[in-house]
Amino acid sequence: ALKTVIGHRSLESIEQAKIILTTDGPRAITDRDLVFLHRQADVHLDGAVFVDPEFLSQPGVEVLLKQAGFRDMDPETVLNARAASLPDAPSPAELETLWEAVLDVPVHAAAKILERHSTKVKVPTKDGAWARPVGVFDIPEAVGGELASRLLDHERCLPEVAHRIGVLQEPVANFL
């Protein structure tokens, strides 16, 4: 049925035929902006609809759907979903996953998304822990190990984004 619809798109109303099996029942080719190809197990979006995995695994189906304009969730959508679903006290694993998603998004957009969820977002520190951005700094001067809990860990985040969401980059009077 999918091949028929795609092969005859010039026919009036054929694109409204609900021939794509999804997690929300049959959908039409015209739903391409509302239906995503693959579900990411740890990303939950209210109202998100995905192509049924069994339907998608049939030979040629994914190629045809991509030709029709269906796509996976874009990186900004994934980051926003991860940030929005963070609990008030996120685990280190949840924060690592969040910062991994940051890598796929332009700096300005990632910072904007994280700022919207600022009460839950933390940045990695050199002692291996996580802290609120406003309590962390990133300065080039060498400081003692006793401040590791306040120094940004560049290996576990994108520093440019961390700076934009509140990590300090220069000394501030009465910081500690």
Side-chain angles (χ1 to χ4, degrees):
L2 179 60
K3 286 181 185 177
T4 301
V5 169
I6 290 181
H8 297 89
R9 290 172 85 173
S10 61
L11 293 176
E12 186 176 333
S13 301
I14 197 165
E15 286 192 341
Q16 274 73 42
K18 296 188 178 211
I19 44 86
I20 300 167
L21 302 179
T22 73
T23 57
D24 191 41
R27 293 293 184 108
I29 295 288
T30 55
D31 293 325
R32 68 183 138 262
D33 292 332
L34 306 171
V35 177
F36 299 105
L37 291 173
H38 300 99
R39 175 188 297 254
Q40 292 191 11
D42 61 341
V43 176
H44 304 286
L45 284 174
D46 289 339
V49 179
F50 299 89
V51 175
D52 180 87
E54 196 172 307
F55 178 70
L56 192 61
S57 69
Q58 294 179 22
V61 168
E62 185 170 351
V63 170
L64 289 171
L65 290 174
K66 284 182 178 180
Q67 288 172 354
F70 285 80
R71 58 186 165 62
D72 285 317
M73 284 194 280
D74 63 85
E76 286 183 39
T77 302
V78 171
L79 176 59
N80 193 55
R82 290 184 198 275
S85 66
L86 281 177
D88 290 335
S91 71
E94 290 167 322
L95 292 166
E96 286 172 18
T97 301
L98 176 76
W99 281 97
E100 286 172 10
V102 166
L103 298 175
D104 297 326
V105 178
V107 170
H108 175 73
K112 199 170 168 183
I113 290 168
L114 295 185
E115 285 171 351
R116 285 198 305 266
H117 304 282
S118 63
T119 60
K120 302 183 274 184
V121 172
K122 294 183 178 180
V123 296
T125 56
K126 288 198 174 189
D127 66 347
W130 298 85
R132 305 238 330 121
V134 295
V136 175
F137 56 96
D138 185 23
I139 55 174
E141 292 82 22
V143 292
E146 68 276 359
L147 294 177
S149 66
R150 298 207 181 229
L151 292 174
L152 183 68
D153 183 347
H154 286 227
E155 301 297 315
R156 297 187 294 147
C157 73
L158 191 58
E160 295 85 2
V161 173
H163 298 154
R164 289 184 183 214
I165 64 170
V167 171
L168 299 172
Q169 293 179 268
E170 53 191 38
V172 175
N174 299 322
F175 175 72
L176 299 174

